[in-house]
Amino acid sequence: MDHSDGAGAPDAPLEPTVAIDHQEVADAFARLAIELHDADGVVETVETVAQFALQALDCSYAGVILSTRDSRPEIAAVTDPLVAEAFELQLASDNGPLITSLRNRTTVLIPDTTTEQRWPEWAGKVAALGVRSVLDVPLVIGSQRSQTVGVLGLYSLTAEAFDTDDEAIAHILARHASVALATARHEASMAQAVDARKLVGQAMGILMERFAIDGDRAFAILKRYSQDTNTKLRDVAQQLIDTRKLPTAGHPDQASSRPPV
């Protein structure tokens, strides 16, 4: 029996459309995974994440802050200077949704900055910039002892721009970004370690040739100067290579051409 009321064809089933949307999202993240894999270093990784957020989510601007070893977050990527200003307002006051997301490892949603009560001063300033909706998602690595490596900040010029689907996509993006950032940082750290070993090896060679000593003695000399001058071993080696002299304890601006006895 035809249940049409004559006004038009019966409603089409929704399942095929939903499946297509899911497939499009899956394809998009597959492309992102490839782009993140091909990214050259931390800087290019975070820029890729920020640009992808503009394509995958209903936002006007995006940005990423990263935590650092001294615990002070730094702005890593923004798609517009407005995002940098919104970030800096929070970093300067050490307060705001971004800071809360970073410290508590929680997603923070502001449906409308004009009615936001948790951070009224900051919300009023970004509302004056035209921002109406904010979604901050932490970038977390690890499972049992998780660590927040940064936050993905999403900004929209429209009030209530982010729905539950947007939050779900943002979380998927954050997980991809977290893994990519952890990998990029590890590779950068390994590269620095390799460079340091090369520098130390070169500096040891200089000492071995100049003073006719073996490798163990040469390394002990570098280590001693590193401790006496409170200078990283890598930097002591670099100075010896550049100047052919070793730093003098208590006088970093002076140098010695003789090793300690």
Side-chain angles (χ1 to χ4, degrees):
M1 180 180 296
D2 185 0
H3 294 283
S4 172
D5 59 1
D11 293 337
L14 298 179
E15 288 78 2
T17 302
V18 174
I20 291 174
D21 289 343
H22 287 174
Q23 186 61 51
E24 289 179 352
V25 171
D27 291 344
F29 277 105
R31 291 193 299 271
L32 172 66
I34 295 174
E35 291 180 16
L36 291 177
H37 182 270
D38 293 339
D40 185 15
V42 174
V43 173
E44 188 173 333
T45 297
V46 292
E47 289 179 349
T48 299
V49 170
Q51 290 297 330
F52 182 83
L54 295 182
Q55 304 172 29
L57 293 152
D58 185 17
C59 64
S60 307
Y61 313 111
V64 176
I65 67 163
L66 296 179
S67 56
T68 60
R69 290 184 177 180
D70 61 4
S71 299
R72 177 174 175 78
E74 62 180 18
I75 300 174
V78 295
T79 61
D80 190 274
L82 182 148
V83 180
E85 186 172 351
F87 282 177
E88 288 168 353
L89 287 171
Q90 297 176 78
L91 297 179
S93 64
D94 196 33
N95 186 43
L98 195 77
I99 302 299
T100 298
S101 179
L102 182 67
R103 289 178 176 169
N104 299 340
R105 297 195 292 271
T106 57
T107 297
V108 179
L109 172 64
I110 298 179
D112 192 341
T113 55
T114 62
T115 59
E116 173 58 39
Q117 298 299 315
R118 290 166 293 181
W119 304 280
E121 183 177 355
W122 177 83
K125 291 179 179 179
V126 295
L129 297 174
V131 174
R132 293 293 300 277
S133 301
V134 179
L135 179 61
D136 289 322
V137 183
L139 307 179
V140 181
I141 58 173
S143 54
Q144 295 181 345
R145 300 183 62 182
S146 58
Q147 175 188 3
T148 308
V149 297
V151 174
L152 170 64
L154 308 172
Y155 295 80
S156 177
L157 302 180
T158 305
E160 300 184 359
F162 304 111
D163 58 21
T164 54
D165 288 338
D166 292 317
E167 286 194 52
I169 292 174
H171 280 109
I172 297 173
L173 174 56
R175 285 196 292 271
H176 278 274
S178 299
V179 173
L181 282 170
T183 301
R185 281 183 163 182
H186 176 71
E187 290 177 349
S189 178
M190 292 296 291
Q192 289 178 351
V194 170
D195 289 342
R197 286 196 293 270
K198 289 180 179 179
L199 289 174
V200 171
Q202 189 174 346
M204 287 171 57
I206 293 173
L207 293 176
M208 292 166 66
E209 180 181 2
R210 179 182 299 177
F211 301 107
I213 56 179
D214 60 20
D216 290 341
R217 178 59 176 158
F219 181 76
I221 291 171
L222 291 174
K223 186 175 180 181
R224 170 74 178 277
Y225 271 93
S226 173
Q227 295 171 342
D228 289 349
T229 62
N230 193 27
T231 306
K232 291 182 179 180
L233 185 62
R234 181 186 190 280
D235 295 335
V236 171
Q238 184 69 69
Q239 180 168 338
L240 176 59
I241 294 169
D242 292 342
T243 67
R244 291 302 191 269
K245 295 180 180 180
L246 289 161
T248 300
H251 301 279
D253 57 329
Q254 299 177 4
S256 172
S257 60
R258 301 182 60 186
V261 178

